[in-house]
Amino acid sequence: MLASGRPPRPWAVVSARTRRWRAEHPGAVQVLSVTVTVLAAALVVAALVMPNSVVRLGPSKFLRIPAEAVIGAAVMIALPRRPRLVLAVVSGLALAAMTVLNLLDMGFNQYLGRGFNVVLDWSLFGDAESYLEDSIGRTQTLAVVAGVIALVLLVFVLLALSMVRLSNVLARHTGIATRGTLVAGVVWITCSSLGLQLGGVPLAADSTATALKDQSHRISATLKDEAEFRKVAKVDAFGNTPGSQLVPDLRGKDMIFTFIESYGRSAVEDPIMAPGVDATLDARTKALAKAGFHAKSGWLTSATYGGSSWLGHSTTMSGLWISNQQRYRTVMASDHLSLTDAFKKTGDFDTVGVMPGVQKGWPEQKWYGLDKVYNAFQLGYKGPKFSWSTMPDQYTLQQYQDRVHSKKPADGKARMSLLILTSSHQPWAPIPKMVPWNQLGDGSVFDSIEKAGNPSSYTLTDDTHSKEEYGKSIQYSVTALTQWLERYGTKDTVLVFLGDHQPNAHASGNHASRDVPISVVAKDPKVLDKIAGWGWTDGLRPAHKAPVWKMSAFRDRFLTAFGSTPHPKKN
């Protein structure tokens, strides 16, 4: 009790007990102090030399001498106490920020094949949260988000405290610290000059400075790209082409453009996925031929990878290379002619979109030139979601048949349709299966299939499972689409279907191309004759050496092949 009669405050009790313990156990205090200092140093060095890619991770990456540590130590030794502590805290927070950016780079490189863009990519976190919620449930998603936030805060706190502790150690042992810093500087210069390596990794490192420089260049390039792309988007080879001179060779056709989610080159060529996918493509080619349909196939290099499907869709339809969100926003706000809008502009086509992945307002409908769009809530589906995918592709296609394709436009026009299929969206578990077309109903038939399927965790935690299940999902989507065509296509039906991007690295690997297959299918031989000069492969499976175009080249080549006359709109 205090003299005033009040009990001592808890912190005072703890402080007194700590001082007593330290006095009674000086050896343990010394060991603990050294341990904390070593851990602080290890944490700071690890943050300084951390790579920004999963494929670069390895023990040798962390057994390096960071130049930033040598320079930082020299500065800390020279500063008075107050400036030193301020610099230590600021440096710790800055290093934490760079660590978080490196971790973001790792994730983006793994899933989207590129680094994190600090100007454009913040909006993608909402999409990532929605994807997780669809894949693992809301409760688990909230737990993951809370864990990530806590981890980020912990990184900032620990690195700031570590820098303060190390600066205090340097100040208490100035002589030893000065000599050690000089030795470390000489060793760094020697290793750098001689190019000394450990396990193929240079011993002399300046990773943080390089990462900071890279981030600065990205920001500068992004801001510069925005201004330059606005000028590019105003130039259009067919921007002033009258409707009467657009796609004259497709008038009266039942024109359908279909994107298959994540349908990439890896599905056709990877040794794990390819056997099943190739067998499906070959079997469906024969089945279509029996029904009178023939196909030609090639490759397009997508503007995106692993996700952000809308970039692939808009690149294909605009003829512009739309590789980031800013370019996408610029095009969506422009009057640059989309391939789908070209059909509307003729005055001879009604245009419709069927998009089961759209679950909110979609103002892009105007730019695409679609008279009507069916979203996830307008297709009458009462069955289960398959992870992210709101409904199986077979059901989507049957609804398209019932609501759109089976009904002729009242004004005697032809029709152009844009379909976005979603069953092959990651995480590829569970996967729907084909059911008899006349048993689809409201989709309830898929309840037992969904329950019997693998949980999303089956692929999220195992790359081999990802590859296997991804391949099965592509087989399902291709089968559903081509069976629909076989069942409901007519002599005037022209189907163009392609992938929007490659799957992420868990399925395609860390060194996959950005290529996706594309096929044109028709019963009228005159249609395929128009593209005979493209050098594409007969059938649904493009040959390995089939021509590869940038995805942005497709719009103009397609318009030209089917008789459109260029009338450029210039900037």
Side-chain angles (χ1 to χ4, degrees), residues 164-213:
V164 170
R165 182 172 185 85
L166 293 175
S167 72
N168 288 335
V169 170
L170 291 171
R172 285 198 303 268
H173 307 282
T174 305
I176 296 175
T178 301
R179 290 191 293 274
T181 301
L182 287 173
V183 170
V186 171
V187 172
W188 190 94
I189 293 172
T190 302
C191 292
S192 178
S193 301
L194 299 179
L196 299 181
Q197 297 184 352
L198 177 65
V201 177
L203 286 171
D206 57 355
S207 304
T208 298
T210 301
L212 182 60
K213 183 179 179 181

Side-chain angles (χ1 to χ4, degrees), residues 120 221-222 224-230 232-233 303 310-311 314-315 318-334 336 367 550 552:
L120 302 177
T222 298
K224 183 179 179 181
D225 177 75
E226 179 180 350
E228 292 181 348
F229 185 72
R230 288 183 185 277
V232 172
W310 55 92
L311 302 182
S314 54
T315 294
S318 69
L320 296 169
W321 191 252
I322 306 177
S323 55
N324 61 50
Q325 194 64 17
Q326 182 57 51
R327 287 188 168 208
Y328 180 76
R329 288 193 290 263
T330 297
V331 172
M332 290 301 112
S334 75
H336 193 93
W367 180 81
K550 289 187 71 173
S552 54

